[in-house]
Amino acid sequence: MNPRQQTRMTAWIACEDDLPAVFDGPILVLFSTGSTETVHCEDYFAPITNGLDEQGNQKWTRFYIQQEVTHWALVPAPPTH
């Protein structure tokens, strides 16, 4: 890969370092199995209900934890011509 190609590649970010801002659109995710997929950001990173705690308070989680997403990246912009 030449230097120009490297600068155009999307940077992968570890979920433990930073999470994407939740928006209505696609992102790339890397699963712990090694599979790379395009997913809808809101579906994976917006808080979702996860039962109640011992005191009856609502618990929250994010789907990426349940699906073992380790890294994410923004989808590159499509070509303009």
Side-chain angles (χ1 to χ4, degrees), residues 40-69:
H40 190 263
C41 186
E42 284 181 339
D43 293 344
Y44 273 73
F45 290 89
I48 56 174
T49 58
N50 189 24
L52 304 175
D53 65 16
E54 296 80 24
Q55 290 78 37
N57 299 314
Q58 182 65 59
K59 295 190 314 180
W60 299 89
T61 190
R62 287 182 169 78
F63 197 59
Y64 81 89
I65 295 171
Q66 298 172 356
Q67 295 298 311
E68 298 185 68
V69 173

Side-chain angles (χ1 to χ4, degrees), residues 2-67:
N2 68 45
R4 185 174 176 184
Q5 289 172 316
Q6 287 177 323
T7 60
R8 292 173 49 198
M9 295 205 49
T10 301
W12 287 100
I13 301 168
C15 290
E16 62 188 32
D17 294 338
D18 195 16
L19 296 176
V22 176
F23 69 101
D24 182 14
I27 60 172
L28 300 172
V29 296
L30 176 65
F31 291 96
S32 61
T33 61
S35 175
T36 303
E37 304 290 337
T38 303
V39 301
H40 190 263
C41 186
E42 284 181 339
D43 293 344
Y44 273 73
F45 290 89
I48 56 174
T49 58
N50 189 24
L52 304 175
D53 65 16
E54 296 80 24
Q55 290 78 37
N57 299 314
Q58 182 65 59
K59 295 190 314 180
W60 299 89
T61 190
R62 287 182 169 78
F63 197 59
Y64 81 89
I65 295 171
Q66 298 172 356
Q67 295 298 311

